[in-house]
Amino acid sequence: MTPLQPFSWARFVAIARKELVQMRRDRLTFAMIVGVPILQLVLFGYAINADPKQLPTAVVDHDRTVFSRSLVQAVANTGYFRVVAVPAGEDAADRMLERGRAQFAIVVPPGFGRALQRGERPALLVAADATDPSATGNAIAALTTLGAAALRHDLSGPLAALAPPPGPFEVRLQRRYNPEGVTQHNIVPGLLGVILQMTMVMMTAFAVTRERERGTFENLLATPATPLEVMTGKIVPYIAVGFAQATIILAAAKLLFDVPMLGSGALLVACMTLFIAALLALGFTISTVARTQLQAMQMTFFFFLPSLLLSGFMFPFRGMPGWAQALGEVFPLTHFLRVVRGVLLKGNGAADTLPHLWPIALFMLAAAAVALLRYRRTLD
Amino acid sequence: MDRVIDVRGLTKRFAGRTVVDAVSIAVARGEILGFLGPNGSGKTTTIRMLCGLLRPDAGEGTCLGFDILHEAARIKREVGYMTQRFSLYEDLSIEENLDFVARVYAVPRRREAVEAALERLGLAARRRQLAGALSGGWKQRVALASCLLHAPKLLLLDEPTAGVDPGARRDFWAQIHALAAEGMTVLVSTHYMDEAERCHRLAYIAYGKLLVTGTAADVIAHSGLSTYVVGVAGGDERQLAALASALAQERGVTTVVPFGSTLHVSGTDAAALDGVRDRYAASGAQRWRRAEPSLDDVFVRLTQQAEDNYA
Ligand SMILES: Nc1ncnc2c1ncn2[C@@H]1O[C@H](COP(=O)(O)OP(=O)(O)O)[C@@H](O)[C@H]1O
Ligand SMILES: [Mg+2]
């Protein structure tokens, strides 16, 4: 009597091959693999890609000197600001901000010119509607470097001593409504995690429920294939899918959005593998619990929404109350976002990344354990 | 190992309802056992317990010499199980389906085995056709071929010929008999009486209880039924229907089964049945002819009895 093998490579390969063929045949799945990343990148890209110029600006000039006029001219010359109104007072300017007629309100205080001449570094008040920070970020950056150039001309002769550094005046910025200025560089790497999460969990969640619905699961159970072989055979093909998606997203990040990629590619690939494995383990767990594909879909979304909201992708993580942060720490996406942003944007190395990896690994082990416990060898 | 299937007292409950009730089955090597019974009587559940897909709540026994409770993994390797529902992968081609099964069962010289199966099926030219696009008869042939790829010693076939045309059914039974002659043991569930008659032995289950087992002749002989074939003059349909409902009311008549232009009228009490015949035949409008009860008469009677007792 031949011994029973606990894990047969041949059976694993058989199942993985079958999954790949089925995946290729299923147009909807295939469309999801390629279409979802592109669709999401384009959708989010509209909000991100824009480095908007000619933003409507209200200028309140209480000073009315040669200096204030030069300053306003220079502000307009940056290209980011378009002076749409010159209201008499701050109240009117605030109302314009409120109604969205202006993105910025620039207030030149009375005595600005005189104070400037005395070298008192007067303050220029800029109020920005930062609801959409990606729309205001660059404009604000342009404004802060403006001081030097704008007044060089007027600060000649005895006043030359007032020329930078430091700037001849101070820009006091109030970012309203969204304190943590999220930028495209923050969002696109985040999108990598979000897209992987959505497709990976959903596709594996369908892996077993589809067989159950179509009646092929009984045959699969009647074969000698063990739960571990079925699970790995159904998961591994999707790891390849995950990497295909990641490649699409990262290429787009580089080409379309010019996201910096400072850290090591190998490190990123290693972290991505772990993240994808955790998601697939979760998807497989769902598929052992759900009876139908509809249930699998519902459970996927039940997981997807809180993890999206609490991971720091949609809202700044540090802005959330303590309990929400604690809950957020459970989700692999939360940690993966930190990893990707760290590696891509800050050039973090393995040592900086490790603290974010073990929670993902823990999640994966827990999900895989539940899956193996839940996967029954019988139809009971 | 004389008995390929030898189980006693198999019982299965779903949510407190006993679906299979203390069923004992023994099947010898090379035997074809026909498994009969109305829908929902527990045939599929029993078959699933035999191959380790369901855990019995009570009972014990062996399948291919392996304990059904603890050695399911070994049983699975040597059983060919054809499920009631067509369950090849519809989005895989015929060849891919066979290849998958051959890989999972680690069939030696896989390519040749798949090739040979395709040749035998006469599907070598259509190997790339998706299994979902096959007609009922072809699906059944491919499903059977895929059960046979790993050269099992026992075949468990759950209503394999449901929805299959007579030609394909004839071919199917010829193949089953050829396999049995080579030593294959077969347990096949069916609703067709002509198929029941092709089995070496029969087991009839109703409401989870195994009511009889034995050869078709045994089952008929032990039924205790006497049967008349009754025809009406001119074979008038309406008269026949009226007669059937009248006879069904008579004491002494247990079942009335229409058979073409005749009725099979059976009873367990031969004298009482003869009394009924004498009264009805006196009118001269009907012909009453004594006959052997058919399997159908017996099974209709058994099901009625089971209904009276358990339902
Ligand atoms: N997994 C299950 N859960 C609950 N009830 C079931 C399950 N499988 C079968 N049954 C019930 O058990 C009874 C017997 O079913 P089955 O074995 O399929 O009968 P058959 O194959 O003879 O038609 C039916 O009433 C069916 O509804
Ligand atoms: Mg059935």
Side-chain angles (χ1 to χ4, degrees):
Chain A
M1 192 188 332
T2 47
L4 292 171
Q5 282 171 280
F7 186 88
S8 147
W9 180 255
R11 286 197 294 257
F12 157 74
V13 170
I15 295 167
R17 276 177 60 104
K18 171 190 86 72
E19 289 297 316
L20 277 173
V21 174
Q22 289 185 304
M23 201 192 307
R24 213 181 51 214
R25 295 249 156 93
D26 183 359
R27 291 227 183 88
L28 202 63
T29 304
F30 203 74
M32 199 162 131
I33 293 168
V34 183
V36 166
I38 291 175
L39 188 73
Q40 292 218 17
L41 276 169
V42 168
L43 286 179
F44 280 87
Y46 269 114
I48 309 157
N49 185 24
D51 175 15
K53 308 236 160 115
Q54 300 290 319
L55 297 170
T57 304
V59 173
V60 183
D61 187 356
H62 291 303
D63 189 46
R64 296 176 183 282
T65 62
V66 58
F67 297 105
S68 68
R69 274 190 294 275
S70 295
L71 185 71
V72 171
Q73 188 55 48
V75 164
N77 283 349
T78 62
Y80 283 102
F81 304 91
R82 180 165 47 94
V83 179
V84 291
V86 190
E90 282 98 322
D91 288 353
D94 279 354
R95 259 197 308 282
M96 290 188 68
L97 271 189
E98 225 173 82
R99 296 193 182 145
R101 295 246 190 80
Q103 187 107 29
F104 292 94
I106 299 177
V107 180
V108 187
F112 180 84
R114 214 167 42 230
L116 195 70
Q117 280 170 302
R118 293 200 199 114
E120 289 171 1
R121 300 196 71 237
L124 180 70
L125 182 70
V126 181
D129 174 355
T131 4
D132 182 358
S134 59
T136 51
N138 285 341
I140 289 166
L143 204 57
T144 47
T145 57
L146 180 74
L151 299 171
R152 184 165 298 134
H153 206 64
D154 299 314
L155 294 173
S156 50
L159 297 175
L162 293 172
F169 61 91
E170 182 191 352
V171 175
R172 275 203 201 135
L173 176 68
Q174 298 176 334
R175 273 187 216 264
R176 299 190 186 170
Y177 313 129
N178 183 351
E180 184 174 292
V182 182
T183 71
Q184 69 195 64
H185 294 171
N186 212 14
I187 287 182
V188 172
L191 221 44
L192 176 65
V194 171
I195 293 170
L196 282 177
Q197 165 168 288
M198 179 145 130
T199 46
M200 295 291 97
V201 175
M202 190 115 78
M203 280 192 287
T204 32
F206 285 174
V208 172
T209 42
R210 190 173 45 221
E211 299 226 12
R212 225 192 285 272
E213 275 189 4
R214 294 188 188 168
T216 50
F217 193 59
E218 185 168 3
N219 269 33
L220 194 59
L221 274 182
T223 70
T226 64
L228 191 62
E229 289 155 6
V230 174
M231 182 165 106
T232 49
K234 279 181 172 288
I235 280 180
V236 168
Y238 292 103
I239 294 185
V241 171
F243 275 105
Q245 287 193 317
T247 309
I248 295 176
I249 300 163
L250 288 176
K254 186 83 200 153
L255 297 176
L256 302 180
F257 306 114
D258 205 24
V259 172
M261 301 191 178
L262 302 176
S264 137
L267 180 63
L268 190 63
V269 168
C271 299
M272 221 141 60
T273 311
L274 181 68
F275 179 59
I276 291 173
L279 296 175
L280 296 178
L282 174 74
F284 195 82
T285 308
I286 290 178
S287 79
T288 59
V289 178
R291 291 269 134 196
T292 63
Q293 294 194 61
L294 183 65
Q295 277 181 9
M297 173 91 96
Q298 288 166 334
M299 288 185 202
T300 303
F301 273 93
F302 190 71
F303 168 80
F304 188 64
L305 281 182
S307 87
L308 192 65
L309 297 178
L310 300 180
S311 64
F313 175 74
M314 298 283 264
F315 309 113
F317 193 80
R318 285 185 197 86
M320 300 190 306
W323 62 266
Q325 291 196 20
L327 199 57
E329 296 284 354
V330 174
F331 298 108
L333 181 62
T334 310
H335 301 278
F336 185 68
L337 290 184
R338 292 174 192 165
V339 168
V340 188
R341 286 170 180 166
V343 172
L344 286 184
L345 309 180
K346 301 182 196 161
N348 281 356
D352 306 308
T353 307
L354 219 51
H356 302 304
L357 289 186
W358 69 261
I360 303 180
L362 206 64
F363 185 94
M364 180 189 73
L365 290 179
V370 174
L372 283 177
L373 285 177
R374 288 279 327 181
Y375 181 91
R376 280 153 302 180
R377 285 158 189 265
T378 63
L379 291 166
D380 286 87
Chain B
M1 195 182 66
D2 204 9
R3 288 179 162 181
V4 171
I5 297 177
D6 187 9
V7 293
R8 292 165 300 277
L10 281 193
T11 299
K12 185 71 192 175
R13 293 180 206 99
F14 287 119
R17 193 166 64 96
T18 304
V19 163
V20 174
D21 194 354
V23 166
S24 302
I25 298 176
V27 189
R29 195 174 111 87
E31 194 172 36
I32 302 174
L33 179 78
F35 201 23
L36 293 108
N39 278 332
S41 56
K43 300 183 295 294
T44 300
T45 306
T46 305
I47 293 174
R48 285 173 174 166
M49 285 192 281
L50 290 177
C51 60
L53 287 181
L54 285 175
R55 266 193 84 79
D57 292 308
E60 51 165 22
T62 59
C63 206
L64 293 156
F66 300 119
D67 188 294
I68 58 160
L69 296 177
H70 305 112
E71 294 180 298
R74 292 191 184 280
I75 295 173
K76 284 177 184 180
R77 292 197 304 183
E78 298 186 5
V79 166
Y81 173 36
M82 191 164 152
T83 54
Q84 181 169 353
R85 193 170 153 190
F86 171 74
S87 53
L88 295 177
Y89 294 99
E90 303 211 339
D91 49 353
L92 295 190
S93 70
I94 298 165
E95 186 178 23
E96 285 161 347
N97 266 297
L98 294 176
D99 188 66
F100 171 68
V101 170
R103 280 172 188 270
V104 169
Y105 281 96
V107 171
R109 297 201 299 184
R110 193 187 76 243
R111 281 176 202 285
E112 285 114 280
V114 170
E115 201 57 41
L118 285 168
E119 290 292 343
R120 255 198 316 277
L121 282 165
L123 285 177
R126 291 160 66 188
R127 63 178 70 211
R128 283 189 225 296
Q129 192 173 334
L130 293 189
L134 289 169
S135 69
W138 280 108
K139 278 182 179 172
Q140 181 255 20
R141 283 184 190 136
V142 175
L144 181 63
S146 96
C147 293
L148 291 171
L149 266 178
H150 62 291
K153 298 194 177 113
L154 168 64
L155 273 184
L156 299 174
L157 309 173
D158 197 357
E159 296 189 27
T161 54
V164 169
D165 65 74
R169 274 171 57 194
R170 197 177 48 235
D171 292 350
F172 170 83
W173 277 95
Q175 197 181 353
I176 295 299
H177 272 277
L179 288 165
E182 289 165 24
M184 178 84 80
T185 308
V186 183
L187 186 152
V188 51
S189 76
T190 179
H191 285 298
Y192 298 110
M193 288 307 138
D194 62 313
E195 292 188 351
E197 278 157 6
R198 291 169 187 257
C199 297
H200 298 135
R201 267 187 337 120
L202 302 174
Y204 188 85
I205 186 172
Y207 299 97
K209 295 210 195 309
L210 193 65
L211 300 180
V212 286
T213 54
T215 61
D218 286 345
V219 169
I220 291 169
H222 289 101
S223 68
L225 280 187
S226 22
T227 299
Y228 282 95
V229 177
V230 183
V232 291
D236 182 46
E237 291 274 339
R238 301 236 308 268
Q239 271 184 22
L240 199 67
L243 179 64
S245 47
L247 283 170
Q249 306 299 319
E250 294 288 345
R251 282 167 172 275
V253 174
T254 49
T255 61
V256 180
V257 184
F259 258 85
S261 60
T262 62
L263 301 173
H264 281 205
V265 181
S266 310
T268 41
D269 182 342
L273 190 63
D274 285 344
V276 174
R277 177 205 55 188
D278 293 341
R279 273 193 283 122
Y280 278 76
S283 71
Q286 306 143 15
R287 284 172 285 103
W288 284 65
R289 181 168 58 77
R290 221 186 152 82
E292 271 278 276
S294 68
L295 271 179
D296 215 27
D297 299 325
V298 176
F299 289 144
V300 169
R301 171 68 194 142
L302 284 170
T303 309
Q304 271 183 358
Q305 251 174 335
E307 254 167 35
D308 295 345
N309 292 344
Y310 313 117

